[in-house]
Amino acid sequence: MRASDAERERVAESLRDALAEGRLDMDEFEQRLEAAYTARTHGELEPLVRDLPAPGTPGPAARSARRPEDEAEVHWPARIGHPPTSKGGFALWGGFSRKGTWTVARKFTAFAMWGGGDIDLREARFEARETVLRVFTIMGGIGVTVPPELHVQVKGFGVMGAVGGSKANGEGTPGSPHVTIVAFALLGGIGVDRKPRKAQRERLRAERERERRERLEGKGRKELG
């Protein structure tokens, strides 16, 4: 049986909900969404949502499998008080990286000389609520990325170099760890930037896609009218 525009839109809405809930990643979402809007029959639409729950009725197992980090707000109590997996990073003529679900020590020291480092706190856990990052570089560069929900204070200066992080200073959401970044750069650079978490980026992309589709549909209805 031929599918209607309303049926295609209902499937698209189910896919957007699945993306927001973490059931689909962005690649799967984009592939299925494109297939939904180009589908001509019910037989083409049904497989796109066969493995997804009906809208608004997620099963208990699926709900419990969602990580706190996938929620609109970070659940900080679950991310504080873990044994540290790293107390520092070092780079000499090379580089180091700390990202993902690693656990930051209450005092973390990073040093790069003729090299670089990448410290990403967006998905990190913390040993303690009060955390100090000491970041030093000589003729090198280190970048620190923090999420919008984290309380951050940047202190530091550069000698024939630069420490950039004033825009990252700010309060976090309730319960956030207090992270103080003490930085020094000699003939090098250290940057601290706030960037959204993966779940937030995917949610924003889904929202933009929804708005784009609504604009296109509105334009199409106007032309038909």
Side-chain angles (χ1 to χ4, degrees):
M1 185 177 292
R2 304 280 290 192
S4 67
D5 288 340
E7 289 166 331
R8 281 187 282 267
E9 187 56 39
R10 281 197 293 270
V11 170
E13 188 66 25
S14 295
L15 295 175
R16 295 185 188 106
D17 290 341
L19 175 66
E21 294 170 355
R23 301 181 192 277
L24 296 177
D25 61 28
M26 182 54 68
D27 289 338
E28 291 174 313
F29 168 73
E30 291 177 344
Q31 291 169 5
R32 295 194 191 194
L33 187 67
E34 181 178 1
Y37 281 119
T38 57
R40 294 182 178 275
T41 66
H42 289 173
E44 293 174 290
L45 286 175
E46 194 274 336
L48 301 176
V49 293
R50 181 182 296 155
D51 58 347
L52 301 175
T57 58
R63 184 182 295 275
S64 63
R66 292 173 63 187
R67 301 181 307 159
E69 290 85 351
D70 291 332
E71 302 291 346
E73 296 292 340
V74 178
H75 183 59
W76 287 118
R79 296 177 63 173
I80 300 173
H82 299 271
T85 58
S86 180
K87 295 184 177 181
F90 177 81
L92 177 62
W93 293 100
F96 72 85
S97 177
R98 300 289 184 273
K99 59 177 59 179
T101 55
W102 66 295
T103 302
V104 191
R106 65 180 68 238
K107 290 186 178 180
F108 179 91
T109 303
F111 177 78
M113 182 173 182
W114 296 313
D118 180 15
I119 304 170
D120 192 331
L121 302 181
R122 287 176 292 180
E123 306 294 338
R125 294 177 170 84
F126 298 84
E127 179 185 15
R129 188 174 299 278
E130 298 290 336
T131 300
V132 178
L133 268 63
R134 297 175 293 190
V135 186
F136 310 102
T137 184
I138 300 175
M139 300 183 69
I142 296 178
V144 182
T145 306
V146 301
E149 301 89 349
L150 190 64
H151 181 108
V152 176
Q153 182 179 17
V154 181
K155 302 177 181 179
F157 64 97
V159 177
M160 299 184 69
V163 172
S166 59
K167 293 183 179 180
N169 283 322
E171 299 285 337
T173 55
S176 163
H178 288 206
V179 177
T180 301
I181 301 173
V182 181
F184 172 74
L186 175 62
L187 296 169
I190 296 171
V192 184
D193 296 304
R194 284 191 185 266
K195 295 181 180 180
R197 293 173 291 115
K198 180 180 178 181
Q200 293 172 320
R201 295 198 306 272
E202 291 182 348
R203 187 174 295 110
L204 289 172
R205 288 177 64 180
E207 291 175 356
R208 287 196 295 269
E209 174 62 23
R210 180 181 303 182
E211 292 172 356
R212 186 181 72 85
R213 293 301 312 178
E214 290 174 351
R215 288 197 300 271
L216 290 175
E217 290 170 2
K219 181 179 179 182
R221 286 193 294 267
K222 184 177 181 181
E223 291 176 349
L224 291 174

